[in-house]
Amino acid sequence: MKRTHGDGQNRSYTLQILVVFTAALAVLSGCRGEGVQSMLDPAGPAAAEISKLWWFMLITGSIVLVITLGLLAAALLRRPRGEEAGPPLGSGRFVVLGGLIGPGIILVVLLILTLRTTISLRTPETTLTIQVIGHRWWWEVRYPEHDIVTANEIHIPNGVPIQLELISADVVHSIWIPRLHGKMDLMPDHATRLWIQSDEPGTYWAQCAEYCGIQHAFMRLSVTAHTEDAFAQWLEDAARPAGAPSTERQQQGLDVFLRACAHCHAISGTAARGRIGPDLTHLSQRLTIGAGRLPNNRGNLYGWISDPQPLKPGNLMPPSLLPSEELEAVVEYLMTLE
Ligand code: CUA
């Protein structure tokens, strides 16, 4: 009995496929982050619906893949055709059942479940609308009913549906808060909508999910869900204009800011009204600077204002070229913006 060398090759191919499949499963199983940006860890009703559908699709897809790979392995491991060829594996009925009717039923079931999920994601009655404007590469966040403008942070009351009204100031972006909802594009020419609701107070990280240029990865934002009382307090604090400088040094910082930075940035309660960059009214309360690029602290703020280009190349903010004494005064003043 003669075996062709193709036989051994087929076995090694089968082995390779199984190894790759097992490795892929092992890697993917590590994707479930603990409380990080993971749609597998839903924290709101919309994300929960999407995640249920995702699990169903993964399980169905895995079963189909295992069956298909099994058939492939069976075909590869068979003796080569020749005098010793066995009876054919497939038949007309097998092809119709396994290739047409089976996949047809699976696709129809998936279609029905997808439509069901889509219907369940319709926007419920909301009481608060927040405008989110995508910029390269940061997020402008406005509360039109409360006269609040902030950046790279959305604050919401926990447990109630909130409407986000989305638009872009330049190219197409996409907002993705994986633990609260799926992705939604922000387009320059017409507004889109997305509603979010959280189950628990806490901070949910989000990300631009549509490639929008070299700093796409540093277009992050946070969504903080507050208890009802804490949110009322947040609204009150955020609507307040910035406090006046209380020392000479802070006053010098404000003067330098008005001269050097106010063309692009606004600080409510001062003459700074720029709209090109983020509103900085309550800057020191923010978690990050540069839309998730750095934790917000004095040292990072100093480095950022001095020259943000090495930190986030291509962003619109030029190096400040301020003498260090003036730079320090600006940072001193900005740190007071609570
Ligand atoms: Cu904005 Cu990617």
Side-chain angles (χ1 to χ4, degrees):
M1 186 168 76
K2 192 178 135 237
R3 307 190 99 188
T4 63
H5 74 274
D7 200 12
Q9 218 169 29
N10 284 345
R11 274 173 209 277
S12 98
Y13 281 148
T14 313
L15 200 66
Q16 278 173 20
I17 291 171
L18 286 175
V19 167
V20 169
F21 181 56
T22 316
L25 269 185
V27 170
L28 283 174
S29 65
C31 287
R32 193 186 183 287
E34 280 302 317
V36 193
Q37 280 172 224
S38 173
M39 57 80 65
L40 299 180
D41 192 11
E49 287 294 327
I50 294 171
S51 137
K52 263 193 276 175
L53 180 65
W54 187 89
W55 279 109
F56 182 83
M57 284 179 159
L58 177 75
I59 291 164
T60 313
S62 301
I63 293 170
V64 171
L65 182 68
V66 167
I67 293 173
T68 313
L69 283 184
L71 291 172
L72 178 67
L76 288 175
L77 295 176
R78 283 188 83 217
R79 282 161 197 281
R81 281 180 183 255
E83 320 95 77
E84 292 179 55
L89 253 187
S91 64
R93 227 171 97 203
F94 175 77
V95 170
V96 171
L97 267 176
L100 213 61
I101 296 176
I105 292 172
I106 292 171
L107 288 177
V108 168
V109 170
L110 285 178
L111 175 68
I112 291 169
L113 289 177
T114 305
L115 290 175
R116 215 198 109 254
T117 304
T118 310
I119 291 166
S120 74
L121 292 179
R122 268 185 314 193
T123 313
E125 192 91 15
T126 57
T127 48
L128 177 66
T129 298
I130 303 170
Q131 292 172 343
V132 180
I133 303 157
H135 295 260
R136 293 207 294 179
W137 295 276
W138 59 281
W139 308 85
E140 183 178 348
V141 179
R142 306 181 82 91
Y143 294 68
E145 297 147 47
H146 300 86
D147 221 12
I148 293 169
V149 185
T150 180
N152 306 320
E153 292 188 358
I154 300 176
H155 291 259
I156 58 169
N158 181 58
V160 289
I162 303 300
Q163 182 75 260
L164 301 183
E165 219 174 70
L166 310 166
I167 196 137
S168 168
D170 36 53
V171 299
V172 178
H173 303 274
S174 174
I175 189 169
W176 191 26
I177 316 160
R179 298 190 65 203
L180 299 184
H181 207 310
K183 301 170 187 173
M184 181 58 74
D185 278 0
L186 290 82
M187 282 172 287
D189 45 3
H190 85 269
T192 48
R193 281 160 175 274
L194 183 76
W195 67 277
I196 51 172
Q197 179 177 340
S198 58
D199 294 332
E200 299 284 342
T203 297
Y204 304 99
W205 287 94
Q207 180 73 45
C208 180
E210 176 78 38
Y211 183 70
C212 53
I214 51 170
Q215 295 303 330
H216 159 71
F218 282 123
M219 188 165 166
R220 299 187 68 201
L221 87 160
S222 60
V223 178
T224 303
H226 301 269
T227 59
E228 202 185 322
D229 291 348
F231 182 69
Q233 184 64 51
W234 182 85
L235 278 180
E236 205 184 304
D237 292 344
R240 259 190 303 113
S246 57
T247 66
E248 218 169 284
R249 188 106 170 106
Q250 292 166 14
Q251 182 61 53
Q252 184 201 0
L254 172 58
D255 294 341
V256 175
F257 186 91
L258 291 176
R259 194 187 75 223
C261 320
H263 177 66
C264 297
H265 294 282
I267 296 178
S268 137
T270 74
R273 302 256 153 74
R275 285 282 309 268
I276 295 170
D279 182 291
L280 302 178
T281 305
H282 299 289
L283 177 69
S284 75
Q285 295 295 310
R286 306 234 175 105
L287 298 172
T288 69
I289 47 182
R293 179 62 186 89
L294 296 165
N296 185 8
N297 59 44
R298 184 179 291 263
N300 285 341
L301 196 56
Y302 187 97
W304 177 265
I305 299 170
S306 161
D307 187 359
Q309 290 304 322
L311 297 164
K312 195 166 171 176
N315 87 83
L316 287 180
M317 182 161 158
S320 67
L321 305 174
L322 291 170
S324 63
E325 197 250 338
E326 290 191 350
L327 185 56
E328 274 160 29
V330 170
V331 172
E332 187 74 30
Y333 169 65
L334 291 176
M335 293 300 287
T336 68
L337 298 177
E338 290 181 345

